[in-house]
């Protein structure tokens, strides 16, 4: 993958949506966050395009490798027949072609290995970018909810903090996220996660841990 595309991928993955708020609180931050999401979509499309090209090239190299191996086997059969008929000229030609094929195969195999590596790398980039895209969508939604919560808390006759738990949590954590981003350059862990998501993730962690405990106990019992 070209260095320029790698740079764009890195910028999307390492960048935090909330980092925009440090500089753009008074410059339509929601619009800037939407722009960042559109940029992520463009990078995803470009990486997917390169992934498709790499996969196609790997397929062509595989076919060429297969064809050369078939030619090598066919030449071996022809060589045996020519020798059986005591034809000295034809076996030499067959051997010369086999030597050419044998010289090409290692180069093709190296190319196949490199294309496979690139394909794996690009698939990883696509998965990481899609995960980041989902995070950005969630962060934008939470930002909008926090603004609504802030407006609702200032409404006449409505006590501050009377909104739903998720909206209050988003309003409370917004400032923390911005300070964390400004001081560390990193997005705060779990940005955009709702209370329900957090509870479900905790339950999932508990299930995985319990499974590991049971598996380890079973291993110890089997060794006794």
């Amino acid at each position: 993958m070209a260095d320029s595309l790698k740079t764009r991928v890195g910028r999307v993955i390492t960048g935090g949506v909330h980092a925009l708020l440090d500089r753009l609180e008074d410059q339509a931050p929601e619009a800037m966050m939407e722009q960042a999401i559109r940029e992520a979509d463009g990078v995803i499309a470009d990486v997917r395009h390169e992934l498709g090209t790499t996969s196609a090239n790997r397929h062509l190299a595989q076919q060429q490798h297969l064809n050369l191996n078939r030619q090598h086997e066919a030449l071996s059969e022809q060589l045996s027949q020519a020798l059986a008929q005591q034809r000295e000229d034809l076996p030499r030609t067959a051997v010369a072609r086999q030597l050419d094929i044998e010289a090409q195969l290692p180069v093709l195999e190296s190319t196949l290995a490199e294309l496979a590596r690139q394909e794996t790398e690009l698939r990883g980039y696509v998965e990481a970018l899609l995960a980041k895209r989902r995070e950005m969508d969630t962060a934008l939604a939470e930002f909008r909810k926090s603004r609504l919560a802030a407006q609702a808390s200032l409404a006449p006759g409505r006590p501050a903090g009377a909104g739903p738990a998720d909206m209050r949590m988003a309003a409370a954590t917004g400032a923390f996220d911005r300070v964390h981003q400004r001081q560390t350059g990193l997005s705060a862990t779990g940005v955009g996660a709702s209370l329900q998501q957090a509870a479900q993730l905790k339950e999932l962690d508990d299930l995985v841990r319990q499974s590991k405990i049971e598996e380890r106990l079973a291993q110890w019992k089997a060794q006794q």
Side-chain angles (χ1 to χ4, degrees):
M1 184 167 61
D3 289 340
S4 59
L5 186 52
K6 282 187 177 180
T7 300
R8 292 170 63 199
V9 171
R11 185 168 62 247
V12 170
I13 292 176
T14 61
V17 174
H18 289 282
L20 293 170
L21 304 186
D22 293 334
R23 306 184 305 273
L24 302 170
E25 283 285 1
D26 58 346
Q27 298 181 27
E30 184 174 335
M32 297 303 298
M33 293 165 77
E34 291 172 346
Q35 176 60 36
I37 290 175
R38 287 193 292 271
E39 180 184 355
D41 287 338
V43 176
I44 291 170
D46 290 344
V47 174
R48 279 178 165 166
H49 175 75
E50 184 155 348
L51 174 59
T53 301
T54 301
S55 298
N57 289 341
R58 184 174 64 84
H59 177 72
L60 290 174
Q62 284 178 329
Q63 292 301 311
Q64 187 175 359
H65 188 271
L66 179 62
N67 289 337
L68 287 176
N69 276 305
R70 286 174 176 171
Q71 288 182 35
H72 196 280
E73 293 177 3
L75 287 167
S76 295
E77 296 177 2
Q78 295 169 0
L79 180 60
S80 298
Q81 294 177 7
L83 288 173
Q85 298 178 15
Q86 298 182 346
R87 294 286 303 273
E88 292 295 333
D89 54 335
L90 295 179
R92 290 181 181 277
T93 301
V95 169
R97 177 56 182 157
Q98 281 188 327
L99 290 174
D100 290 341
I101 291 174
E102 291 166 8
Q104 294 177 54
L105 286 175
V107 177
L108 264 178
E109 289 163 1
S110 177
T111 300
L112 280 170
E114 175 60 19
L115 288 171
R117 185 197 65 77
Q118 291 178 12
E119 192 172 14
T120 299
E121 179 183 59
L122 289 166
R123 290 186 189 281
Y125 280 134
V126 170
E127 292 175 3
L129 286 165
L130 289 174
K132 186 65 178 182
R133 175 65 163 77
R134 290 190 293 271
E135 177 187 319
M136 295 168 78
D137 278 336
T138 301
L140 177 57
E142 292 296 332
F143 172 76
R144 288 168 173 164
K145 288 167 63 178
S146 71
R147 287 299 174 91
L148 289 175
Q151 293 172 4
S153 68
L154 298 176
R158 182 184 182 91
D166 272 347
M167 296 172 68
R168 284 160 36 213
M169 177 61 75
T173 58
F176 173 86
D177 291 340
R178 293 194 292 274
V179 172
H180 184 278
Q181 175 75 38
R182 184 165 53 251
Q183 295 298 321
T184 67
L186 301 173
S187 298
T189 303
V191 167
S194 67
L195 294 179
Q196 181 181 3
Q197 288 172 329
Q200 290 174 339
L201 289 173
K202 176 62 169 62
E203 183 178 357
L204 180 59
D205 286 339
D206 290 343
L207 287 174
V208 173
R209 177 174 173 77
Q210 187 62 37
S211 176
K212 289 181 178 180
I213 291 173
E214 297 298 331
E215 182 180 351
R216 180 61 60 85
L217 285 174
Q219 292 175 353
W220 277 105
K221 290 178 180 180
Q223 294 174 1
Q224 299 302 314

